[in-house]
Every structure is written in structure tokens, then in C-alpha cells.
Amino acid sequence: MPELSNLWFEENFEFELGRTIKIKIEKMIEQFDSPFQRIEVYQTRPFGRMLVLDGVIMCTEWDEHAYHEMLTHVPMFTHPGPEKVLVVGGGDGGTIREVLKHPTVKEAFLCEIDEHVIRLSQKHLPALASSLDDPRVKIVYEDGAKFVKGHKNYFDIILIDSSDPIGPATVLFSEEFYSSMRDSLREGGIAATQSESFFYHGDIVQKLTGYAKKLFPIPGYYFTVVPTYPSGIIGFTFCSKKYHPLKDVDEKRIAALQPMLQYYNYAIHRGAFALPSFIASRIDIQY
Ligand code: SPD
């Protein structure tokens, strides 16, 4: 349960490991216990509105772009023409907002297990959730693992915008799920998955990139800087059937969308795959 005394929010994720983040808040806007989790929206002093699931920060209005843009645009600009996209999790709408910036997109599925995350985001986080009304968006309230299993050879891009590997998202961190993603991607398809911080969770990074190496011809791992996440960074496992993140990225398409982007650019795309030696040696992927 987050600590509200003196109007500070203290994240409970990793508290027992002796590390946490504390953010000054002005008020709690809404708290709701869904069948899956406790959902909270706060007005913070420094970072605008903040969405919290089971005591863990999902996003703040101030730095969410650094996460959502990188999860989305690295695979989307590597693929030559993504038309069918699936976002698993991501009920706040930030990832779908980024997906819809690509004019090639015809269908964008949002598969979120908890309808109340979407409801509260639409109510309190319009900067993230307003794109959910776009006619290309199809919202499904279902378990992501089941949905992916039921859509073989269908998507060009799959984006796993999950919470941490505890609670409802645990299944999304399994080898079986990575195998289902491979089967759900069309020829040339690419998946990118929320894969934690290499500073705090090298074991998870090693495990997930291990699945990518085993199951996909072109695996990878890249990261972004998000100050309100534990250790200030978060990474993504890159799983590609055909296209290479550094050789096939389309600089011209990026230039056309650049005015709509705050964090992502061509140089960041390339640089995001450059990893510190301590984690590069553990995951052992050459580009
Ligand atoms: N440790 C927090 C990781 C949260 C990643 N997902 C955030 C969801 C934002 N759309």
C-alpha cells in the first residue's frame, strides 16, 4: 500500500530490496480496486498526473513519451510498412497513440485484461488515452497470452506494454508467450517487449533476450531513459523475423514524423542498442 503521509507517494515495488522512488503529490485523484489490481491516479507536484497499478508507477505525464515512443517507434520504423499492430497491456493508451502516428497502420488492437485501467485513463489521462477513439483502434478486454495464441500469422508488429513480472503480467514473461508471439507475427513481423532495467534486473534481461535469441532470427535489446522508473532506465527485448534494427531502419520515414516526436529520433534509435559492457557480455548479441 503506497504511503500517503506528508503527501508523498512512495513506490512499493522493490521497497524490500532497499530501493524505492518517492514523489511529492498534490492529491489522489481516484483509487479503484478492480478484480485484477488496485488502480490509482495522482496529481503529482513535479510530474503532472501519474498512473499507479498495485503500488507501482506505470507512467507520469512528464516522462511517459520517453517510454511509449521508444517501445513503439524502434520496431515500427524497422518494419518497412506495418499495417496490423497489436498492443498487449498499455491500457493508458500511450503506446496506441504512438502507433497511430504511422500512416501505414490499418488496424491497431489494444488487448488489455483490465477494462478499468482504460476507463480511468480515459477519465483522467486524456493526453495518453484520447487516441483510443480512433476508428483504427479495436479494444479487446482479454488475457494477452490467450489473444496472441488465437491470432496466428496475423500481426506485423506486437508491442508488449506490460506492468512488471508480478500479478496479471507474469505470463507475458514466459518462453511459451514468446513462442506464441512468433506464431502470431506475419512474415517480417517484429515484437518489442517491456523488459525492465539492466541495472536492477539483469537476470530478467538475460532470460528474455535468451528467448528472443532462441526463437527469432534477429534478436536484440535496447533501452530508454525514464526518470520515474526504478534506476531511471527501462529496456525492451527486440524480436524480429526478418528486419534488422540497425540495417533496415528507415531514416526518411522518421524525418517525416519527427515534428510529432519528443524523444525518439534516428540517432537515438541506433544508440539505444549500444549497451554497457556488463550487460552486453551477459546477453551476447552482435548487430
Ligand atoms: N516498473 C514499471 C514498468 C512499467 C512498464 N509499463 C508501463 C505502462 C505504460 N503504458
Side-chain angles (χ1 to χ4, degrees), residues 11 13 51 53 56-59 64 67-68 71 89-95 128 160-165 194-196 201 228-230 233-234 236:
E11 192 177 46
F13 183 56
L51 174 67
L53 299 182
V56 178
I57 297 169
M58 289 297 112
C59 52
E64 56 85 11
Y67 172 86
H68 292 120
L71 170 59
D92 52 68
T95 301
L128 287 100
I160 307 303
D161 184 6
S162 70
S163 47
D164 296 309
Q194 191 278 92
S195 298
E196 304 291 351
H201 298 288
T228 56
Y229 284 165
I233 58 162
I234 194 162
F236 308 96

Side-chain angles (χ1 to χ4, degrees), residues 8-225:
W8 283 89
F9 169 85
E10 191 167 86
E11 192 177 46
N12 70 9
F13 183 56
E14 312 226 311
F15 188 82
E16 76 286 356
L17 295 172
R19 50 203 190 199
T20 186
I21 183 167
K22 240 173 133 167
I23 296 178
K24 191 86 174 151
I25 60 159
E26 286 175 1
K27 61 174 178 175
M28 176 186 275
I29 294 172
E30 190 166 345
Q31 181 182 85
F32 183 83
D33 286 319
S34 81
F36 298 99
Q37 56 208 338
R38 171 161 292 181
I39 308 166
E40 293 164 302
V41 181
Y42 292 92
Q43 181 68 46
T44 76
R45 174 92 43 96
F47 301 137
R49 294 202 171 172
M50 175 168 78
L51 174 67
V52 175
L53 299 182
D54 275 343
V56 178
I57 297 169
M58 289 297 112
C59 52
T60 77
E61 288 180 321
W62 175 66
D63 59 4
E64 56 85 11
H65 59 89
Y67 172 86
H68 292 120
E69 289 187 13
M70 288 299 279
L71 170 59
T72 306
H73 300 305
V74 170
M76 296 283 286
F77 281 119
T78 299
H79 192 287
E83 293 183 351
K84 296 180 176 197
V85 180
L86 168 65
V87 176
V88 173
D92 52 68
T95 301
I96 284 284
R97 179 195 64 204
E98 296 306 315
V99 165
L100 296 174
K101 289 178 181 172
H102 290 254
T104 53
V105 171
K106 293 185 174 150
E107 261 185 330
F109 281 86
L110 176 64
C111 180
E112 164 63 64
I113 199 166
D114 191 344
E115 63 181 295
H116 297 285
V117 175
I118 296 184
R119 182 178 62 77
L120 262 69
S121 299
Q122 286 178 316
K123 194 168 160 195
H124 301 301
L125 300 167
L128 287 100
S130 51
S131 303
L132 295 176
D133 296 335
D134 188 289
R136 290 170 290 172
V137 176
K138 297 180 169 68
I139 300 178
V140 205
Y141 300 113
E142 204 178 310
D143 176 78
K146 279 193 193 137
F147 185 79
V148 167
K149 238 183 198 156
H151 286 76
K152 298 232 187 296
N153 197 28
Y154 193 87
F155 294 107
D156 298 308
I157 300 284
I158 298 178
L159 304 172
I160 307 303
D161 184 6
S162 70
S163 47
D164 296 309
I166 39 173
T170 310
V171 64
L172 306 177
F173 292 77
S174 68
E175 181 172 344
E176 190 186 347
F177 181 66
Y178 276 65
S179 172
S180 301
M181 282 198 302
R182 183 193 55 195
D183 297 344
S184 183
L185 287 166
R186 296 205 277 194
E187 199 226 330
I190 306 174
T193 65
Q194 191 278 92
S195 298
E196 304 291 351
S197 156
F198 53 68
F199 270 112
Y200 281 3
H201 298 288
D203 49 347
I204 295 175
V205 174
Q206 192 172 12
K207 183 180 87 161
L208 299 180
T209 52
Y211 300 155
K213 284 162 70 173
K214 184 171 167 190
L215 299 167
F216 290 85
I218 305 182
Y221 184 84
Y222 64 97
F223 75 101
T224 183
V225 175

